[in-house]
């Protein structure tokens, strides 16, 4: 009914396609760091192995590509930059989920070990109490035999 509000899929220019490809390939590499200033809509990708950096200024629709020899910054179509930012945010979120799962698993394993140690300590305490009780019982029996 209100199809005119939906954004039509845009075909990227040749350079936009290349840039989007570069950024998505960088995002696939685990060695690529993703840093951001979400309030300022600034995102930074850097891969030291590849000697490559990308700066995305969302508010200004500017993307800067930097390698060891060159640095190029251009203003691009707002929708293109939004698509790039969407890809970066999705990868950042995916990585955060992996870290969260890893931390959660570590905490669960630590809690399980601690729980098992506490159970063992309680069992040892119970065993010691039983032994002390048996010793007292034997001493009482011996004392009653003596009397």
């Amino acid at each position: 009914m209100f199809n005119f509000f939906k954004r039509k899929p845009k075909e990227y220019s040749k350079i936009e396609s290349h840039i989007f490809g570069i950024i998505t390939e960088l995002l696939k590499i685990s060695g690529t760091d993703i840093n951001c200033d979400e309030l300022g809509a600034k995102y930074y990708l850097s891969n030291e192995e590849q000697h490559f950096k990308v700066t995305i200024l969302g508010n200004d629709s500017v993307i800067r590509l930097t390698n060891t020899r060159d640095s190029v910054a251009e203003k691009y179509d707002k929708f293109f930059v939004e698509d790039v930012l969407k890809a970066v945010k999705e990868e950042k979120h995916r990585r955060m989920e992996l870290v969260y799962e890893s931390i959660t698993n570590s905490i669960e394993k630590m809690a399980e070990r601690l729980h098992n140690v506490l159970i063992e300590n309680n069992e040892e305490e119970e065993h010691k109490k039983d032994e002390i009780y048996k010793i007292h019982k034997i001493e009482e029996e011996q004392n009653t035999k003596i009397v």
Side-chain angles (χ1 to χ4, degrees):
M1 182 173 180
F2 292 103
N3 285 340
F4 59 90
F5 286 122
K6 274 189 167 181
R7 192 173 106 198
K8 294 179 185 174
K10 181 186 181 296
E11 254 186 62
Y12 300 140
S13 69
K14 191 173 181 180
I15 188 74
E16 288 172 338
S17 294
H18 285 307
I19 289 172
F20 194 83
I22 289 169
I23 291 171
T24 53
E25 288 303 314
L26 270 176
L27 291 172
K28 290 178 187 176
I29 301 170
S30 63
T32 300
D33 295 326
I34 303 172
N35 296 304
C36 66
D37 169 13
E38 290 190 23
L39 292 176
K42 297 175 186 174
Y43 289 80
Y44 308 95
L45 308 176
S46 69
N47 187 306
E48 297 302 321
E49 274 182 21
Q50 304 292 326
H51 305 287
F52 207 84
K53 295 179 182 178
V54 177
T55 304
I56 305 162
L57 306 174
N59 291 340
D60 300 325
S61 299
V62 172
I63 298 176
R64 174 182 293 279
L65 303 172
T66 306
N67 66 13
T68 52
R69 292 172 294 213
D70 301 313
S71 181
V72 177
E74 290 286 330
K75 187 172 180 103
Y76 293 96
D77 180 68
K78 179 183 174 185
F79 296 116
F80 169 70
V81 174
E82 285 176 4
D83 288 347
V84 170
L85 286 175
K86 182 180 177 188
V88 171
K89 289 175 185 178
E90 285 174 359
E91 178 61 17
K92 184 171 175 27
H93 181 72
R94 188 190 71 77
R95 289 182 184 187
M96 289 174 70
E97 283 292 320
L98 291 174
V99 170
Y100 174 78
E101 287 175 17
S102 173
I103 291 170
T104 301
N105 289 339
S106 295
I107 290 170
E108 286 175 359
K109 287 177 184 175
M110 185 179 11
E112 184 179 344
R113 284 194 304 269
L114 179 60
H115 185 230
N116 290 337
V117 166
L118 289 172
I119 289 171
E120 288 174 16
N121 288 344
N122 286 340
E123 288 173 353
E124 287 175 11
E125 284 293 318
E126 288 296 318
H127 182 70
K128 285 179 185 177
K129 286 179 183 178
D130 288 344
E131 289 297 315
I132 291 171
Y133 178 75
K134 288 177 184 176
I135 291 171
H136 284 299
K137 197 89 155 142
I138 293 171
E139 286 176 354
E140 282 180 6
E141 288 175 5
Q142 286 177 352
N143 286 340
T144 54
K145 284 182 183 178
I146 295 176
V147 175

